[in-house]
Amino acid sequence: SILARERPDLVGLQEVTRWTVAPHHADGSPGPETVLVDFLPALVEAMNVAGCAYDVHVVSKSFSGAMPVLGNEWLSVAGANVTLVRRGIEVTDEASATFAESLQLVTGIEGLSFPIVRGRSRVAVRVDVAPVRFVNAHTETGDREPLGAQRD
């Protein structure tokens, strides 16, 4: 992969998703989840296998939602923006925040919409002797109104 070949010190990822299914009981409470795919640990493990280990820093949740798919089973998806730091790089500080404006993603199902939260994070590191501040910002591209507010 390009990450294993280039070995960047810092990597900003957006919309890293996790898909699960779970039964819902008659009272509406969810049962135990079954993870279908979780891309973050899959990527971290693949990088370890490739001999280029990264540590996960600043996981900022950006969206989640669920809907019934079969009988009492619900399919859920959750996404996050993530910063990876190559193992051995000294992290001196990290923080994240969400933008006040967000997009409501409307589905074709009556009453079902998902908030899409956008935000930014930063990781301060020391590379050799130089301090570096890395920013991972994810603004809304699908709607001009939230995008304008997020830029200001």
Side-chain angles (χ1 to χ4, degrees):
S1 79
I2 192 167
L3 292 177
R5 186 179 69 241
E6 299 296 327
R7 297 179 185 270
D9 293 331
L10 301 144
V11 179
L13 304 171
Q14 298 174 348
E15 299 185 7
V16 180
T17 56
R18 180 178 194 261
W19 292 86
T20 61
V21 292
H24 273 226
H25 304 296
D27 65 2
S29 64
E33 279 186 337
T34 299
V35 176
L36 300 174
V37 64
D38 191 342
F39 287 100
L40 183 56
L43 175 61
V44 169
E45 176 60 23
M47 296 310 300
N48 282 333
V49 168
C52 187
Y54 282 85
D55 295 316
V56 176
H57 288 268
V58 195
V59 176
S60 303
K61 294 180 181 178
S62 58
F63 63 89
S64 65
M67 61 184 291
V69 289
L70 181 62
N72 71 338
E73 286 228 317
W74 284 60
L75 176 68
S76 298
V77 62
N81 300 325
V82 179
T83 299
L84 301 178
V85 178
R86 191 166 46 82
R87 191 148 308 140
I89 301 296
E90 177 190 358
V91 176
T92 59
D93 189 33
E94 58 187 65
S96 67
T98 57
F99 297 117
E101 293 291 323
S102 64
L103 173 70
Q104 280 288 25
L105 180 62
V106 178
T107 69
I109 301 170
E110 172 129 4
L112 184 62
S113 65
F114 300 107
I116 306 296
V117 178
R118 300 294 190 215
R120 66 224 177 263
S121 63
R122 65 174 166 74
V123 176
V125 300
R126 187 166 305 283
V127 178
D128 298 322
V129 296
V132 175
R133 181 174 284 182
F134 181 81
V135 176
N136 183 7
H138 190 182
T139 57
E140 183 54 57
T141 60
D143 188 331
R144 290 190 185 277
E145 189 173 322
L147 173 61
Q150 291 166 359
R151 282 192 317 234
D152 298 337

